[in-house]
Amino acid sequence: MKIKLNRIDEDFLFECTNSNGNKILLDNTSKPDSKGVSPMESVLMAVAGCSGIDIVSILKKQRQEIKSFSAEVEGDRIQIGDAKPFKNIIVRFYLTGVVDIKKAFKAAELSFEKYCSVSKTLEPNVKVDWEVFVNGEKA
């Protein structure tokens, strides 16, 4: 796996490109006119995306009919010297459709305990918790 990063303005805006040519913009979001996400926001996005792919994949194999799928991710940071790494992350998944709530819970559990490489990369330094809601009901 290889990523290329190129600075594209006079300040902190970077374009990151993967081997397929797909791109994201990273920026210093403390600036009011930032045009990308912060590197730390991208970590939260990666956790949600990685586990989201797992969960949807597992539920599709079980022939669950997902109408909508979304997630919210929050991260708490701590000061360690000059750095502010994440201490805790919470991911909340929201699904609607004809989805068995127990299967959705199990899919998320499998993702975080077994499959999600991003959350596994963060262990043991970051505690990653998760919740699943199906049609408004908490699993």
Side-chain angles (χ1 to χ4, degrees), residues 6 14 28 51 60 66 73 77 79 82 89 92 95-96 102 104 110 115 126 131-132 136 138:
N6 290 305
F14 296 97
N28 178 349
S51 56
K60 284 181 81 156
I66 303 168
V73 188
R77 298 169 71 179
Q79 190 80 39
D82 291 332
I89 293 174
R92 292 180 185 93
L95 293 81
T96 65
K102 290 178 184 173
L110 283 169
Y115 298 122
V126 181
E131 296 177 328
V132 177
K138 185 176 177 181

Side-chain angles (χ1 to χ4, degrees), residues 41 44-45 47-49 51-52 69-75 89-95 112 128-133:
E41 288 170 333
L44 297 180
M45 291 175 180
V47 171
S51 56
F69 183 98
S70 63
E72 292 179 352
V73 188
E74 295 180 54
I89 293 174
I90 177 79
V91 187
R92 292 180 185 93
F93 297 100
Y94 301 93
L95 293 81
F112 284 100
V128 180
D129 291 315
W130 52 272
E131 296 177 328
V132 177
F133 298 84

Side-chain angles (χ1 to χ4, degrees), residues 46-60 69 93 111:
V47 171
C50 183
S51 56
I53 288 169
D54 292 339
I55 294 167
V56 169
S57 175
I58 291 165
L59 292 175
K60 284 181 81 156
F69 183 98
F93 297 100
S111 176

